[in-house]
Amino acid sequence: MTEQESGSGWHRSAVSLAVIAALWCSASSAQVVRGELVDAISRRPVPAGIVTLVDTAQVERARTLTDATGYFVIRAPEPGVFRLRTLIVGFEGWESEPFSLGRGQSVEREITLRLFRIELPELTVEAERTCVVRPNEGLAAAALWEEVKKALATTALSMESRDYRFRTRTTERELDPYGVVRTDTTYLTPGYRAWPFASLAAARLSERGFVQSAPGGPVFYGPDADVLVSETFLDDHCFRVRLAEESGAYLGLGFEPVSGRKVPEVEGVLWLDSSTAALRRLEWRYRNVSRWVRSGRPEGYVEFAELPDGAWFIRRWMLRAPVARVFVGRPDTLLYGVKVKQAEVVEVVDRRGKPIFRYPVPDRIP
């Protein structure tokens, strides 16, 4: 090695050490709140509760999820005056008094809550008939929407954490236009930590729609958690309360595109348990699509479940997408077939791969 090369290597090492030192200093100077979330009556920890940090302008600056022992760590992006808020599925929220957090300061807070269960509204004929854009506080749709947002946020944080992996059984089928199976493949995957199907930014979906042209045929996008809670989705859709036809066990928050939307859209229902306010299922269909697409009945669903330690995750999901037959030199398009992709979690494992929960594996996904 020449002296020049040696000097160059030393320079790179010095730069690397400087970067590491800068990152270490940045991490060590972070503003941190540590604490526990505890039930005031039973003194038991509250797992899977969202703790958020908001500034004096009521803007959320950070959020985290309590673990199985109710413990949480939340980091502020800069010093300032903040409040802590809690969001727990099925229960009323709580907010702390303001407190200061200096540069590099670490504080501890025990949040002791009296857990008051949310009373979901009774369904009325007026609520079922009215589709409201951005439902205001006090309306039945607004109460359901607040619980939906908490459930989606809790699910996203649980799935993105490093504490769980979800082993899934996936089935992919291709059907002909009459529903006869052409191909049928089933396989196991080691796990996922995110929303299981592709979506786009809400602004792009608003502009171009939930079905978009591509060289290999149209691509069908489902509404993921970020899209559903976005300001854009709220502007493009209205909401109404629905009651499950078979029983009163579930209340639904239906959504549909507002009048005047011309691009391919989605309409559907978010179903909540009427006794616990827990989000159980999201289902949707596609609107403003071509006749050949409608004949293939494009749709999808996502089912949510809770683990014994309070973590939320996606238990099952399905997306059904029609496939086109295009004739060269002719303007018409016909339905060639339908692709159906379904998956369900069969095992939940911890970060070391140790099973913590198993579901019975069916012969096939229906």
Side-chain angles (χ1 to χ4, degrees), residues 23-310:
L23 291 174
W24 182 87
C25 290
S26 175
S28 64
S29 63
Q31 299 70 229
V32 180
V33 183
R34 295 180 173 86
E36 293 179 302
L37 187 57
V38 179
D39 184 339
I41 304 301
S42 66
R43 298 299 301 175
R44 294 177 179 173
V46 179
I50 298 175
V51 180
T52 67
L53 193 71
V54 297
D55 60 21
T56 54
Q58 302 300 307
V59 175
E60 182 180 309
R61 306 307 304 275
R63 68 169 47 188
T64 191
L65 199 67
T66 60
D67 65 15
T69 67
Y71 183 73
F72 67 89
V73 178
I74 192 165
R75 291 174 171 81
E78 68 270 326
V81 177
F82 302 97
R83 294 175 187 262
L84 292 174
R85 287 178 180 168
T86 62
L87 300 171
I88 304 171
V89 174
F91 294 91
E92 294 181 5
W94 169 89
E95 184 175 288
S96 75
E97 293 296 323
F99 62 93
S100 296
L101 198 57
R103 184 172 301 278
Q105 184 180 8
S106 177
V107 301
E108 294 188 2
R109 292 286 189 274
E110 181 182 85
I111 302 175
T112 305
L113 295 180
R114 296 192 64 180
L115 297 175
F116 296 101
R117 186 165 288 281
I118 292 286
E119 294 290 336
L120 291 179
E122 294 185 5
L123 183 63
T124 64
V125 174
E126 290 75 14
E128 190 172 11
R129 288 176 178 173
T130 305
C131 196
V132 182
V133 180
R134 290 182 171 271
N136 296 320
E137 186 177 352
L139 295 177
L144 294 185
W145 180 239
E146 289 303 314
E147 293 309 303
V148 165
K149 288 194 296 182
K150 287 192 288 186
L152 290 173
T154 302
T155 302
L157 288 170
S158 293
M159 293 173 61
E160 291 167 5
S161 75
R162 297 180 180 273
D163 295 329
Y164 310 98
R165 290 186 65 86
F166 306 96
R167 291 177 177 163
T168 58
R169 187 172 191 240
T170 302
T171 296
E172 296 185 16
R173 298 192 186 104
E174 185 174 343
L175 315 175
D176 71 10
Y178 306 99
V180 177
V181 177
R182 288 183 177 134
T183 61
D184 190 339
T185 305
T186 298
Y187 53 91
L188 292 174
T189 54
Y192 63 85
R193 292 197 186 116
W195 202 265
F197 53 81
S199 192
L200 295 174
R204 187 172 178 186
L205 292 171
S206 177
E207 178 185 356
R208 301 184 59 185
F210 283 81
V211 183
Q212 298 185 15
S213 299
V219 178
F220 293 77
Y221 295 100
D224 65 11
D226 289 338
V227 169
L228 286 168
V229 301
S230 69
E231 299 295 312
T232 303
F233 192 85
L234 286 176
D235 288 335
D236 290 345
H237 297 80
C238 65
F239 300 84
R240 76 177 83 225
V241 179
R242 291 182 52 183
L243 183 66
E245 295 180 0
E246 64 275 11
S247 70
Y250 295 96
L251 279 175
L253 183 63
F255 56 90
E256 61 189 70
V258 297
S259 177
R261 294 284 295 163
K262 302 299 183 184
V263 298
E265 265 289 359
V266 289
E267 65 177 6
V269 187
L270 294 138
W271 292 107
L272 293 85
D273 188 307
S274 58
S275 59
T276 65
L279 179 62
R280 295 304 183 193
R281 181 179 170 99
L282 158 66
E283 56 190 42
W284 71 92
R285 301 170 298 279
Y286 294 86
R287 281 179 49 169
N288 303 340
V289 292
S290 304
R291 183 165 59 182
W292 76 266
V293 174
R294 293 197 301 272
S295 65
R297 296 187 292 110
E299 61 183 355
Y301 70 76
V302 173
E303 292 183 359
F304 303 88
E306 184 180 9
L307 290 173
D309 65 357

Side-chain angles (χ1 to χ4, degrees), residues 15 135 217:
V15 170

Side-chain angles (χ1 to χ4, degrees), residues 1-12:
M1 179 181 290
T2 67
E3 183 177 351
Q4 183 178 3
E5 288 171 336
S6 178
S8 175
W10 178 89
H11 177 70
R12 284 195 298 269

